[in-house]
């Protein structure tokens, strides 16, 4: 179930996929390409498949709910930052398509 769990980690935003290339001699600005789609499932769908996360829900359910809500907020905040970086520093192929009027 490892590959399924990895997909869930990406789908919930816990493990976003991106590529970053800092500015260099051939690029004036860095490139940040966000390969993941926005989170499409709640963190709970990923986290509670793993014993290391689920144990707290057995021993202290209220604290588990509180921490899960904080972690979900953290995912949304990180996603907003990554999306902002992707919009600010698009990859060269995306920037070239936008300049040519081809959209995203």
């Amino acid at each position: 179930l490892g590959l399924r769990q990895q997909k869930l980690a990406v789908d919930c935003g816990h493990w976003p996929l991106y590529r970053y290339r800092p500015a260099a001699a051939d690029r004036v600005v860095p490139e940040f390409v966000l390969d993941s789609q926005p989170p499409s499932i709640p963190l709970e769908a990923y986290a509670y498949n793993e014993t290391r996360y689920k144990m707290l829900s057995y021993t202290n359910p209220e604290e588990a709910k509180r921490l899960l809500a904080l972690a979900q907020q953290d995912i949304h905040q990180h996603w907003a930052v990554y999306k902002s970086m992707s919009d600010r520093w698009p990859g060269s192929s995306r920037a070239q398509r936008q300049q040519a009027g081809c959209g995203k």
Side-chain angles (χ1 to χ4, degrees):
L1 299 176
L3 290 176
R4 179 180 178 273
Q5 192 65 357
Q6 291 170 18
K7 181 172 178 3
L8 290 173
V10 172
D11 289 346
C12 76
H14 177 73
W15 195 272
L17 302 176
Y18 61 85
R19 292 172 279 156
Y20 175 70
R21 293 176 53 195
D26 62 334
R27 286 181 316 283
V28 176
V29 296
E31 294 179 1
F32 188 89
V33 178
L34 189 55
D35 293 320
S36 294
Q37 297 298 314
S40 60
I41 62 172
L43 174 64
E44 184 176 9
Y46 157 73
Y48 283 175
N49 285 335
E50 298 200 15
T51 305
R52 61 186 171 151
Y53 297 125
K54 198 168 188 174
M55 287 307 298
L56 186 59
S57 70
Y58 294 140
T59 59
N60 192 340
E62 292 303 315
E63 184 67 2
K65 285 180 188 177
R66 187 183 77 78
L67 292 174
L68 186 64
L70 288 173
Q72 187 70 61
Q73 276 183 331
D74 190 53
I75 285 172
H76 290 303
Q77 289 172 348
H78 277 106
W79 180 262
V81 170
Y82 294 146
K83 179 70 175 125
S84 173
M85 291 171 64
S86 175
D87 292 342
R88 184 175 178 188
W89 300 312
S92 58
S93 60
R94 179 177 165 199
Q96 289 168 355
R97 286 194 313 265
Q98 285 178 339
Q99 286 176 354
C102 298
K104 291 184 179 181

